[in-house]
Amino acid sequence: EPEVTQTPSHQVTQMGQEVILRCVPISNHLYFYWYRQILGQKVEFLVSFYNNEISEKSEIFDDQFSVERPDGSNFTLKIRSTKLEDSAMYFCANRVDRVSTEAFFGQGTRLTVV
Amino acid sequence: KQEVTQIPAALSVPEGENLVLNCSFTDSAIYNLQWFRQDPGKGLTSLLLIQSSQREQTSGRLNASLDKSSGRSTLYIAASQPGDSATYLCAVRPGYSGGGADGLTFGKGTHLIIQP
């Protein structure tokens, strides 16, 4: 199965600090997504990204979040000023097209804000 | 807004049993439905993808069905094994734009334990 790689696997940060979560997508899979899963809750969509711009974002994805492909390959999620409630597992996902193909997920980054 | 519900929330059965996991969604306007497996503290592994025009998909001991008009899907696992123990998630790709519909809408999952 194609593999999406995320780093780091676990990050602990102090409240108010900035964090950057990284993802190496699957080659030729041009649609990128970030999701999060708060412990014990559903996986929730944050943002989709295609052609170097945001396609759509959920109401969770507020001004403290941003995404980019800094070098044309990696895909990053930045949280500018972390809050305790940002503690969650963050998943990067990837698919070939916007609608009809499988979504492949990375192993996740567990973010703990203290 | 699309909502996805999975029943039961947890299930524990002895090894070798055939079992059925249920998923329901409130809006039948979907492009497709995808089943995932999630091991504790790990990522999501794709199991099966069913397009809205399809009725079922099979992969090994897994069979997923889709009844779009009634908003239901089932995941059938044949001859269960201890290695099948995990949380199984159902997710739909809404068939409309806006309001976060570009992403998958997930259920909370069924936590499955297969007893040796």
Side-chain angles (χ1 to χ4, degrees):
Chain A
E1 177 177 298
E3 192 170 303
V4 176
T5 305
Q6 289 186 243
T7 56
S9 57
H10 190 189
Q11 179 150 1
V12 181
T13 189
Q14 290 201 328
M15 192 168 54
Q17 295 296 303
E18 174 183 285
V19 295
I20 298 176
L21 310 183
R22 292 181 169 81
C23 171
V24 178
I26 302 164
S27 177
N28 298 323
H29 285 53
L30 302 179
Y31 288 80
F32 309 96
Y33 306 82
W34 284 102
Y35 291 79
R36 78 172 185 190
Q37 185 179 33
I38 295 171
L39 188 64
Q41 297 189 23
K42 294 183 179 183
V43 177
E44 302 172 287
F45 167 73
L46 292 178
V47 65
S48 57
F49 188 89
Y50 170 70
N51 203 24
N52 289 319
E53 61 182 22
I54 290 175
S55 297
E56 195 167 334
K57 54 187 179 180
S58 73
E59 57 195 20
I60 303 168
F61 193 89
D62 61 23
D63 291 343
Q64 70 164 334
F65 292 97
S66 62
V67 291
E68 64 175 359
R69 289 190 78 193
D71 56 10
S73 58
N74 294 319
F75 180 48
T76 63
L77 173 69
K78 182 190 292 186
I79 309 175
R80 257 179 277 283
S81 178
T82 50
K83 303 186 282 247
L84 293 177
E85 54 264 38
D86 293 328
S87 295
M89 190 77 128
Y90 288 81
F91 294 109
C92 173
N94 206 194
R95 66 198 313 165
V96 170
D97 67 14
R98 191 177 180 193
V99 172
S100 62
T101 56
E102 269 181 294
F104 293 100
F105 282 68
Q107 291 298 299
T109 293
R110 179 168 298 286
L111 177 65
T112 303
V113 182
V114 297
Chain B
K1 183 183 172 185
Q2 181 72 267
E3 296 285 342
V4 178
T5 303
Q6 292 187 246
I7 294 172
L11 183 63
S12 180
V13 299
E15 181 177 4
E17 284 203 6
N18 303 322
L19 47 96
V20 175
L21 309 182
N22 296 293
C23 170
S24 62
F25 45 96
T26 54
D27 189 335
S28 61
I30 64 168
Y31 282 119
N32 49 55
L33 182 147
Q34 196 167 353
W35 282 93
F36 295 89
R37 169 187 173 134
Q38 185 176 31
D39 293 286
K42 302 292 186 185
L44 280 63
T45 301
S46 178
L47 297 174
L48 288 163
L49 172 72
I50 312 179
Q51 303 296 344
S52 61
S53 58
Q54 296 176 318
R55 295 287 292 183
E56 65 179 85
Q57 282 284 350
T58 298
S59 176
R61 294 182 294 107
L62 305 179
N63 176 277
S65 68
L66 174 65
D67 184 342
K68 195 173 81 118
S69 60
S70 67
R72 294 173 193 267
S73 176
T74 60
L75 179 67
Y76 175 83
I77 303 176
S80 57
Q81 304 170 357
D84 294 331
S85 298
T87 297
Y88 289 80
L89 303 177
C90 163
V92 298
R93 172 62 171 92
Y96 49 82
S97 298
D102 213 26
L104 297 173
T105 302
F106 281 82
K108 205 169 179 183
T110 293
H111 180 57
L112 177 65
I113 296 174
I114 308 297
Q115 305 151 13

